């Protein structure tokens, strides 16, 4: 996973101004923003999206951060239950808002989290070797919601392949790919609803979520 090591350069709300980007001769202004957590600059940014309310959310090496146009507010998943050791910052790779308004984040070794914005709380999903319907791996590199009526969440991992999370049952289903496909780097749903899966070692896969 490559980070934008120099921080995050966000177009300063240009897209919110009708016609600003398309006006002939208009200049595009960039503003360089570096989030700070506890007074420390956070320069590792791995994902970025705008939610339905207009806030910008970023996945960082220090957790999930929300930008309201003025400042960044960080949200970190809680430490493991029963642990007396203060947790290190959770590195967030992919992040997205689903059709229900929940935020999902994939992490480096701590599994998958669902974040409820209204109460600022996390629900965690992890791999359980004894449960074949659990998350397939705890390092999550890619996330995507499909366009089926069920709005299932697809999860790409670093070493443990691809799985589909079914919201109705709360279970994960492993999706067989080539055994040597390696890391799932990216997931994308096109205009026809097909899921595209980018892998480290076996190129690109196309999946029809309806079948």
């Amino acid at each position: 996973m490559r980070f934008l090591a120099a921080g995050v350069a966000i177009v300063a709300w240009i897209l919110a101004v009708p016609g600003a980007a398309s006006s002939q001769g208009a200049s595009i202004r960039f503003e360089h923003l570096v989030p700070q957590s506890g007074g420390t600059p956070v320069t590792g940014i791995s994902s970025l999206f705008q939610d339905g309310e207009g806030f910008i959310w970023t996945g960082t090496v220090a957790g999930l951060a929300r930008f309201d146009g003025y400042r960044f507010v960080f949200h970190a998943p809680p430490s493991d239950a029963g642990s007396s050791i203060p947790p290190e910052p959770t590195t967030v790779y992919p992040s997205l808002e689903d059709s229900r308004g929940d935020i999902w984040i994939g992490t480096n070794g701590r599994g998958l989290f669902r974040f409820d914005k209204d109460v600022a709380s996390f629900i965690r999903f992890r791999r359980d070797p004894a449960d074949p319907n659990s998350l397939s791996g705890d390092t999550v590199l890619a996330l995507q919601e499909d366009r089926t009526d069920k709005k299932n969440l697809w999860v790409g991992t670093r070493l443990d392949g691809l799985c589909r999370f079914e919201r109705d049952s709360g279970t994960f289903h492993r999706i067989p790919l080539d055994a040597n496909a390696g890391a799932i780097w990216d997931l994308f749903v096109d205009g026809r609803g097909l899921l595209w899966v980018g892998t480290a070692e076996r190129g690109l896969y196309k999946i029809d979520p309806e079948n």
Side-chain angles (χ1 to χ4, degrees), residues 85-165:
I85 302 175
E88 295 183 356
T90 299
T91 297
V92 175
Y93 289 151
S95 58
L96 64 80
E97 182 182 41
D98 68 16
S99 57
R100 303 184 186 187
D102 289 328
I103 291 176
W104 295 83
I105 61 172
T107 68
N108 182 21
R110 295 198 66 203
L112 174 71
F113 289 86
R114 185 174 74 224
F115 180 67
D116 186 330
K117 296 184 294 182
D118 294 334
V119 296
S121 66
F122 288 91
I123 296 177
R124 187 182 191 182
F125 301 87
R126 297 203 68 176
R127 178 177 180 269
D128 179 356
D131 182 3
N133 292 320
S134 67
L135 181 66
S136 62
D138 284 335
T139 296
V140 176
L141 302 180
L143 294 171
Q144 187 63 251
E145 184 181 55
D146 66 30
R147 295 187 179 183
T148 66
D149 292 339
K150 294 183 178 180
K151 302 295 183 184
N152 295 319
L153 185 73
W154 295 73
V155 184
T157 70
R158 173 174 285 169
L159 299 173
D160 302 285
L162 177 69
C163 59
R164 182 185 68 229
F165 178 64

Side-chain angles (χ1 to χ4, degrees), residues 7-8 33-37 39-45 58 60 65 72-74:
V8 56
L33 304 174
V34 179
Q36 291 198 10
S37 176
T40 302
V42 177
T43 56
I45 308 296
T58 61
T60 80
F72 287 89
V73 175
F74 280 80

